[in-house]
Amino acid sequence: MRTTRAYGAQGSEKELTLRTIERRDPRLDDVAVRVTYCGVCHSDLSALHAHAADGDGLLVPGHEFVGEVVAVGDAVTRFAVGDQVAVGNIVDSCGTCAMCRAGQENFCAEFPTLTYGGRDRHDGSTTLGGYSGEYVVRENFVYHRPAHLDPAAVAPLLCAGVTVWEPLRRWAAGPGMTVGVAGLGGSGTSRCGSPRRWVRASSCSPARPERRTTPAPSGPTTSWSPPTTRTSPAPPARSTC
Ligand SMILES: [Zn+2]
Ligand SMILES: [Zn+2]
């Protein structure tokens, strides 16, 4: 077993404090990552509040982080010590259901193992997140970080960023296509900001008429149908973040 330092809340504690936690030794397909930056997601705050109310076990938030590989399992093929990597909100899944086989593990029929507050599929332990010095994770859920990207800015792309990037890519959004975003919070804003070379943002929020740049639709609207190129089953209506 490995140990590292982490910010966590035990039981009904309402604040995170620095403490020592354990990490498993890398399994055959595991990668151990020294965490260098971890994003702060609003989900972390929600989890902290909910955890304080439940008063059960240890919570270490953080599900969007980048770092450096410090150890690998014997069967790992895509990573080596020293690689710069990133990890998002999911660290494992069943790997066999239709959605997993389609590469959409976020809709795993057995529900994916989340980076924190999840249940490890091998030993049943509670996963502890990236507000820590080190994380041990299956190779399949680790991503190489492009060297030209600022590591301090990459972490949020692993949650809010990918949440909105994936559907844009999925439906081949591009010049000339009009897309809708339900809410310009963290995820929506990242959608409008990151790919701005080909996305023009406008808002029709009735709560903020001063920000309106296009008229809100009036009268009957037409329904939208997905392209016929879809190759995987429709995802169930739930989210992991
Ligand atoms: Zn998040
Ligand atoms: Zn699955």
Side-chain angles (χ1 to χ4, degrees):
M1 200 65 84
R2 312 160 71 92
T3 60
T4 189
R5 300 285 277 169
Y7 282 100
Q10 182 74 47
S12 59
E13 293 176 351
K14 293 184 172 61
E15 295 183 358
L16 303 174
T17 56
L18 192 60
R19 62 190 70 222
T20 298
I21 64 169
E22 292 185 336
R23 293 295 191 196
R24 65 178 184 260
D25 291 322
R27 300 169 183 145
L28 289 178
D29 61 349
D30 272 345
V31 172
V33 179
R34 180 176 65 84
V35 179
T36 52
Y37 294 95
C38 183
V40 178
C41 181
H42 193 276
S43 301
D44 299 338
L45 298 178
S46 300
L48 181 59
H49 293 153
H51 187 263
D54 292 342
D56 184 29
L58 175 64
L59 171 75
V60 175
H63 58 203
E64 45 186 54
F65 62 86
V66 298
E68 178 177 318
V69 174
V70 294
V72 297
D74 290 342
V76 169
T77 59
R78 296 190 299 115
F79 299 96
V81 172
D83 283 355
Q84 302 301 308
V85 297
V87 177
N89 192 32
I90 298 174
V91 291
D92 206 356
S93 70
C94 83
T96 58
C97 74
M99 296 310 293
C100 280
R101 285 187 277 110
Q104 296 204 287
E105 295 88 347
N106 49 319
F107 294 117
C108 173
E110 296 184 8
F111 200 73
T113 304
L114 303 185
T115 308
Y116 69 82
R119 185 69 57 194
D120 184 271
R121 306 179 101 85
H122 296 272
D123 61 21
S125 62
T126 299
T127 55
L128 303 174
Y131 287 11
S132 58
E134 185 179 285
Y135 199 101
V136 179
V137 52
R138 280 189 66 198
E139 173 185 28
N140 287 353
F141 295 86
V142 182
Y143 306 90
H144 287 281
R145 177 180 65 78
H148 67 281
L149 295 181
D150 175 7
V154 164
L157 300 180
L158 275 297
C159 182
V162 74
T163 298
V164 290
W165 168 254
E166 197 279 342
L168 290 172
R169 182 186 65 86
R170 179 74 180 167
W171 304 114
M177 177 182 281
T178 299
V179 300
V181 177
L184 290 178
S187 297
T189 302
S190 73
R191 195 291 268 142
C192 295
S194 299
R196 58 175 171 263
R197 277 182 294 183
W198 47 271
V199 171
R200 181 180 62 186
S202 61
S203 171
C204 58
S205 168
R208 296 181 180 179
E210 73 281 2
R211 296 180 61 186
R212 182 176 299 174
T213 57
T214 57
S218 59
T221 57
T222 56
S223 61
W224 176 80
S225 299
T228 56
T229 53
R230 190 180 184 95
T231 57
S232 61
R238 69 184 183 189
S239 169
T240 57
C241 182

